[in-house]
Amino acid sequence: MKPFFLLFFRSPVLCLLGLGLALTQFSAHAQTSPEAQQFTLSNGMTLIVKVDKRAPTAVHMLWVRVGSMDEVDGVSGVAHVLEHMLFKGTATVKQGEFSRRVAALGGRENAFTNKDYTGYYQQIPAKRLAEVMALEADRFAHNQWPDAEFVKELEVVKEERRLRTEDSPRMMMYEQLSATQFVASPYRRPVIGWMNDLDAMTPQDARDFYRRWYVPANASVVVVGDVDVAEVRRLAETSYGQIPVGVLPARKPREEPVQTGTRRVLVKAPADQAYITCPGKCPTSLALKPPRTTAMRWR
């Protein structure tokens, strides 16, 4: 605080600037809740709400706790393919209509898949939150599409793999590194999937994965923006809370064996220059705030 008071007495201009900054920070703090609030819906789905009234917008996200680590050998990439298929409609929302409706609301949306999770999001005017929550809840519970549509979208995913991985020497190297670095861990598989697995993938593979993992207890809804917590909770129960409970499969432990020596990978591909990287396994705690005695595990 000493430097602030020195500036206060020495410069009226700096005094005003400092006061303006302090007022701005105070105003921003007053418009945001101190922390997010978390609830559990009647069917086991998690709801997290964070109030931020600095702009009349809201972000609505659906996080599903499933990714490439939940796949099995032979169907790598199915979590990512399924993410694509969730844009293909339901019994009441035709293919492409989801995105058109969000755009008509003045919003934007997208989705992403990683090793541990799949996410879907929309950024919209806060007053249209109820509409996107209903849309997202519908496709989470009632996604459906014809086999012919799956076959077409699978070709899109294959082209994505060619563009982002096979045409990129650096990404090819990282893919080979993961496959070598991990032995038992499912992290060894690429999120996009191996090409031969994509070639052999069937519509039923995606449907089975969807029915297995897209259940309320395995998902979280996150809403941040110019919203009322009680109203968001009511909307969540009205839309997501009506989805049947479902059964969440048990995840078996797949611990990585202790590495006993150095592993090296040499990848040759057309490139402008050589590239070297030295990855290593990092320990992660078993809890967000573990006591000092908490054991560590390796990923």
Side-chain angles (χ1 to χ4, degrees):
M1 293 297 292
K2 288 184 178 179
F4 176 81
F5 284 111
L6 287 174
L7 292 174
F8 180 90
F9 288 110
R10 291 179 181 177
S11 172
V13 174
L14 289 176
C15 168
L16 291 175
L17 288 174
L19 180 60
L21 178 60
L23 290 174
T24 300
Q25 292 176 337
F26 176 80
S27 176
H29 178 75
Q31 296 181 70
T32 60
S33 60
E35 59 184 18
Q37 298 186 51
Q38 181 171 322
F39 310 95
T40 301
L41 304 185
S42 56
N43 57 7
M45 183 175 282
T46 299
L47 171 67
I48 300 172
V49 186
K50 176 74 163 64
V51 177
D52 187 337
K53 295 183 176 295
R54 290 176 292 179
T57 62
V59 174
H60 168 263
M61 301 190 73
L62 173 67
W63 293 81
V64 187
R65 192 188 172 203
V66 67
S68 62
M69 71 168 292
D70 296 294
E71 300 164 351
V72 296
D73 290 338
V75 289
S76 65
V78 68
H80 174 242
V81 172
L82 180 59
E83 174 221 310
H84 280 236
M85 299 311 299
L86 254 75
F87 287 88
K88 300 304 179 180
T90 68
T92 57
V93 179
K94 296 180 181 179
Q95 177 187 344
E97 189 175 346
F98 186 103
S99 297
R100 285 193 293 270
R101 287 192 188 183
V102 173
L105 296 175
R108 59 179 181 173
E109 41 87 42
N110 212 329
F112 46 87
T113 305
N114 211 306
K115 294 183 181 295
D116 302 282
Y117 55 81
T118 306
Y120 305 85
Y121 73 89
Q122 302 85 37
Q123 182 178 5
I124 36 80
K127 62 183 179 181
R128 315 311 292 263
L129 178 62
E131 294 165 77
V132 297
M133 291 183 77
L135 281 171
E136 192 67 86
D138 179 45
R139 74 172 175 180
F140 175 83
H142 306 117
N143 180 233
Q144 63 181 44
W145 27 264
D147 288 358
E149 192 60 40
F150 176 86
V151 172
K152 290 194 297 184
E153 194 62 28
L154 190 58
E155 293 303 314
V156 174
V157 175
K158 291 179 184 178
E159 188 58 32
E160 183 179 342
R161 177 182 166 82
R162 295 185 189 102
L163 177 66
R164 296 186 176 183
T165 302
E166 297 177 3
D167 288 348
S168 171
R170 184 171 297 187
M171 292 308 298
M172 285 180 62
M173 183 193 67
Y174 281 124
E175 183 177 78
Q176 291 296 318
L177 274 175
S178 293
T180 303
Q181 184 176 7
F182 296 106
V183 177
S185 171
Y187 286 174
R188 70 184 186 277
R189 287 188 294 267
V191 175
I192 192 72
W194 299 111
M195 184 61 85
N196 64 316
D197 286 348
L198 296 176
D199 288 335
M201 193 174 293
T202 67
Q204 195 58 41
D205 290 330
R207 292 190 181 107
D208 290 344
F209 196 82
Y210 169 67
R211 294 183 183 123
R212 182 177 177 85
W213 296 109
Y214 278 61
V215 296
N218 202 41
S220 298
V221 176
V222 179
V223 177
V224 179
D226 186 10
V227 297
D228 176 76
V229 175
E231 177 63 9
V232 173
R233 190 175 183 182
R234 185 189 70 80
L235 292 173
E237 284 289 2
T238 302
S239 52
Y240 292 102
Q242 305 306 309
I243 301 172
V245 175
V247 178
L248 179 62
R251 287 180 168 90
K252 295 184 178 180
R254 289 172 289 181
E255 296 294 332
E256 180 70 10
V258 175
Q259 185 171 327
T260 57
T262 302
R263 298 172 188 166
R264 294 182 175 87
V265 175
L266 176 63
V267 176
K268 293 185 178 182
D272 294 331
Q273 59 183 6
Y275 185 81
I276 185 172
T277 184
C278 300
K281 299 184 180 75
C282 299
T284 58
S285 64
L286 298 176
L288 292 178
K289 294 181 179 179
R292 294 181 181 179
T293 56
T294 297
M296 307 297 281
R297 62 185 174 90
W298 296 91
R299 280 187 174 178

